C-alpha cells in the first residue's frame, strides 16, 4: 500500500517536466557546462569541489524547499489528506511516500552528478566516501525537515511556494551555493555554517577533497533534522 | 435495524456553535437525506459520523460502534465523498482507483467499478482533465472501492449542470440497489425530494423535522389552489357554498378557487352538475419548498 503510494507519487513527479528539469536536468547541466569551462583535470584549486557540490546542493534545495512544501501544502489545500483520513490508511503515509520519493530522486541525482562529473568531465569522485555519504544523508534529511515545516505552517500551496522561495534564496546566498564560500565575507560564511544548505554543501566539499566533514556541520545538520522533524510532526495540519 | 444513530449531537468551533442538538437514526438500506441551508451544520454532523471530528456532546454510533474509538474498523465500512475534495491533477482515473483499492482489506474490483460507473474510456485521463460530472462519478467509485456498508455523499451535485445532476441522481439510486446505505447531504430541495426515503431537515444546528418527503409536505397546512377558465358563467356561491372551499377570486377570465381537503373533486363535481367545462385547469399544491418554509420560517434558496 505504502509502496503503491510511493510508486504513484514517483509517477506524478515524472509527469511534471519542470520538476524533472530542475532537479535532474539542471545539476547535470551545471556540472557539464562548468566542467567544460574550467577543465578540472588540470585544476588543483579547492574550487574544483565547488562545481559538482554546488550542482548537488542546488538540486537538493529545489527538491526540499520548493517542490516538497508546495506539493504537500497543495495536497492539504485540495483536501487530499483529508480524503485519506476517511480511509483505513493514515494521511501521514502520503507524507512518508512523498519524502521517500524525494529522497530517491536526491540519491539518483547525486549519483548522476558524481558519475557523469567523473567519467565525462574528469572531476574527482568524493575522496572521503564515508564522510560524503554521511553529509549527503544528514544534509538531505535536514533540508527535508525544513521543507516539511514550511508545508506544516503554510496556509496554502501558494504560501508554501512563497515561504519556500524565501528560505531557498537565503540558503543559496549565504550557504555558498550562488558563489563559493571562498569568495564570501566571513560573517556570511558564519551564517551559512548554521544554515542547512550551507552545512550540507561545506560538509560535502570537505569530504570531496578528502577530509572528514567538520563536527560543526554534522552537528548543525543533525540538530536541524531532529528539531525541525519534531516541529513538523507537531505543527502539521491535515486540513 | 439502525445503522447510524446520532443522539443529541453538539459541536462547536472556538466561538460559534456549528451543531446545537441533532438526533437522527438511519436504517439499513435507505437513502437518508440531510437537508438544510449552507451553514446549518449538515457537514459537521456527517463529519462526526465519519469520525473526522469528535463531538463536544451527545453520542454517535455507526454499526453500533463509536466512530472515533473504533475508527480503524469503521473506516473499512464507510465510503466517503467529501465536499470540495480533489485529487492530484496529473493522477489518472485508473491509477486513483487502483491506488485506493490497496487501502482496504476487502476491496471491490477497481476495473469493475471503472466500467460500472462509465469511466472505462477515461481510465488514462488525468483527474485535472475530467468534467465536473466525471469527477463526481470517480468520487462515487472511490467511495465504493472498499465495499462499504455505508456511503456518505456530501453535496454531491453542487456545481454540476442540470443534466449531469440528473445523471448523478441515477447513480445514487444504483448505490442503494447494491445494498449500500446512503447518507446524502444536500441543500437542493429537488435532490432530496427525488432521492431520499427519509429526510432530516436541519436549520441553525438543530433538526426541525425527520420524515419522508411526502410526510414533510403533508405537515404543511397549506391551501391548495384550483385555477380554471369556466366555459359558461358560473355563480360564485355554488363554489363558496362547498365546505372544501375557503375563497373564490376572479383573475381576468379565470376563477381561482382556494381551499383544503379534496378540493379538486368537489369543484369539478359542481362544474359537471352545471354543465360547465373547466378549460386550462391547473392545481397548485404544497411541495417540499413550502414544507421548508413552514418548518424554518424562510425559503431555502434565500437562506444561502
Amino acid at each position: 500500500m505504502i509502496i503503491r503510494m510511493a510508486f504513484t507519487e514517483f509517477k506524478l513527479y515524472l509527469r511534471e517536466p519542470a520538476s524533472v528539469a530542475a532537479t535532474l536536468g539542471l545539476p547535470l547541466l551545471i556540472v557539464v557546462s562548468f566542467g567544460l569551462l574550467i577543465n578540472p583535470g588540470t585544476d588543483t584549486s579547492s574550487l574544483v569541489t565547488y562545481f559538482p557540490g554546488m550542482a548537488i546542493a542546488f538540486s537538493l534545495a529545489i527538491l526540499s524547499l520548493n517542490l516538497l512544501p508546495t506539493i504537500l501544502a497543495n495536497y492539504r489545500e485540495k483536501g487530499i489528506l483529508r480524503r485519506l483520513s476517511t480511509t483505513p490508511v493514515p494521511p501521514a503515509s502520503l507524507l512518508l511516500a512523498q519524502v521517500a520519493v524525494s529522497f530517491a530522486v536526491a540519491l539518483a541525482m547525486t549519483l548522476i552528478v558524481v558519475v557523469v562529473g567523473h567519467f565525462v568531465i574528469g572531476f574527482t569522485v568524493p575522496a572521503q566516501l564515508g564522510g560524503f555519504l554521511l553529509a549527503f544523508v544528514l544534509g538531505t534529511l535536514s533540508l527535508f525537515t525544513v521543507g516539511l515545516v514550511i508545508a506544516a505552517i503554510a496556509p496554502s500551496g501558494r504560501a508554501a511556494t512563497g515561504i519556500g522561495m524565501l528560505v531557498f534564496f537565503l540558503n543559496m546566498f549565504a550557504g555558498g551555493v550562488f558563489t563559493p564560500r571562498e569568495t564570501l565575507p566571513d560573517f556570511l560564511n558564519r551564517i551559512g555554517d548554521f544554515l542547512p544548505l550551507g552545512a550540507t554543501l561545506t560538509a560535502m566539499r570537505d569530504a570531496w577533497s578528502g577530509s572528514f566533514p567538520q563536527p560543526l556541520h554534522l552537528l548543525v545538520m543533525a540538530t536541524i533534522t531532529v528539531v525541525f522533524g519534531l516541529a513538523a510532526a507537531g505543527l502539521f495540519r491535515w486540513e | 435495524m439502525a445503522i447510524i444513530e446520532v443522539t443529541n449531537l453538539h459541536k462547536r468551533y472556538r466561538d460559534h456553535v456549528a451543531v446545537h442538538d441533532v438526533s437522527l437514526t438511519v436504517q439499513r438500506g435507505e437513502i437518508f437525506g440531510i437537508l438544510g441551508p449552507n451553514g446549518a451544520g449538515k457537514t459537521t454532523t456527517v463529519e462526526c459520523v465519519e469520525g473526522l471530528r469528535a463531538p463536544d456532546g451527545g453520542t454517535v454510533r455507526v454499526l453500533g460502534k463509536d466512530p472515533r474509538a473504533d475508527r480503524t474498523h469503521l473506516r473499512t465500512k464507510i465510503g466517503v465523498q467529501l465536499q470540495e475534495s480533489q485529487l492530484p491533477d496529473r493522477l489518472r482515473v485508473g491509477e486513483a482507483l487502483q491506488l485506493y483499492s490497496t487501502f482496504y482489506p476487502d476491496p471491490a474490483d477497481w476495473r469493475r467499478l471503472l466500467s460500472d460507473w462509465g469511466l472505462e474510456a477515461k481510465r488514462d485521463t488525468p483527474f485535472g482533465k475530467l468534467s465536473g460530472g466525471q469527477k463526481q462519478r470517480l468520487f462515487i467509485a472511490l467511495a465504493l472501492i472498499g465495499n462499504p456498508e455505508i456511503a456518505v455523499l456530501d453535496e454531491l451535485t453542487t456545481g454540476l449542470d442540470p443534466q449531469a445532476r440528473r445523471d448523478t441522481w441515477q447513480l445514487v439510486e444504483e448505490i442503494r440497489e447494491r445494498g449500500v446505505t446512503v447518507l446524502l447531504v444536500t441543500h437542493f430541495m429537488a435532490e432530496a425530494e427525488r432521492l431520499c426515503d427519509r429526510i432530516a431537515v436541519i436549520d441553525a444546528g438543530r433538526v426541525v423535522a425527520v420524515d419522508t418527503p411526502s410526510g414533510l409536505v403533508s405537515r404543511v397546512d397549506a391551501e391548495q389552489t384550483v385555477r380554471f377558465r369556466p366555459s359558461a358563467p358560473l355563480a360564485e356561491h355554488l363554489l363558496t357554498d362547498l365546505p372544501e372551499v375557503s375563497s373564490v377570486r376572479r383573475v381576468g377570465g379565470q376563477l381561482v378557487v382556494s381551499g383544503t381537503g379534496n378540493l379538486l373533486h368537489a369543484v369539478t363535481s359542481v362544474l359537471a352538475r352545471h354543465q360547465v367545462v373547466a378549460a386550462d385547469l391547473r392545481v397548485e399544491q404544497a411541495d417540499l419548498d413550502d414544507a421548508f418554509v413552514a418548518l424554518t420560517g424562510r425559503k431555502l434558496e434565500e437562506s444561502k
Side-chain angles (χ1 to χ4, degrees), chain B residues 78-132:
Chain B
I78 308 180
V80 173
Q81 173 261 324
L82 290 176
Q83 191 181 0
E84 286 166 11
S85 167
Q86 294 178 52
L87 289 170
D89 278 344
R90 290 178 197 260
L91 186 64
R92 295 172 185 163
V93 170
E95 290 170 345
L97 281 165
Q98 193 179 5
L99 176 65
Y100 274 67
S101 72
T102 64
F103 297 170
Y104 293 89
D106 174 32
D109 181 353
W110 64 270
R111 292 174 196 84
R112 181 82 193 274
L113 279 177
L114 205 60
S115 60
D116 281 359
W117 300 102
L119 290 165
E120 219 154 29
K122 297 287 162 192
R123 179 181 166 150
D124 293 324
T125 305
F127 176 79
K129 292 220 161 38
L130 296 177
S131 73

Side-chain angles (χ1 to χ4, degrees), chain B residues 210-223:
Chain B
V210 180
D211 211 332
T212 60
S214 58
L216 286 173
V217 173
S218 70
R219 292 187 186 202
V220 186
D221 197 20
E223 293 199 320

Side-chain angles (χ1 to χ4, degrees), chain A residues 17-101:
Chain A
S19 304
V20 178
T23 51
L24 293 180
L26 190 66
L28 200 60
L29 188 73
I30 290 173
V31 91
V32 169
S33 54
F34 282 102
L36 291 174
L37 279 176
I38 60 165
N39 192 8
T42 57
D43 194 332
T44 52
S45 80
S46 67
L47 276 184
V48 172
T49 63
Y50 167 67
F51 293 104
M54 172 266 248
I56 292 171
F58 203 157
S59 173
L60 282 181
I62 293 171
L63 206 53
S64 58
L65 303 176
N66 297 339
L67 297 186
L68 191 63
T70 303
I71 290 171
L72 292 180
N74 270 326
Y75 280 0
R76 175 177 52 221
E77 196 176 351
K78 290 183 155 196
I80 293 166
L81 299 177
R82 205 170 144 62
R83 176 66 182 81
L84 271 183
S85 43
T86 69
T87 73
V89 172
S93 27
L94 185 58
L95 260 65
L96 200 67
Q98 186 59 47
V99 168
V101 167

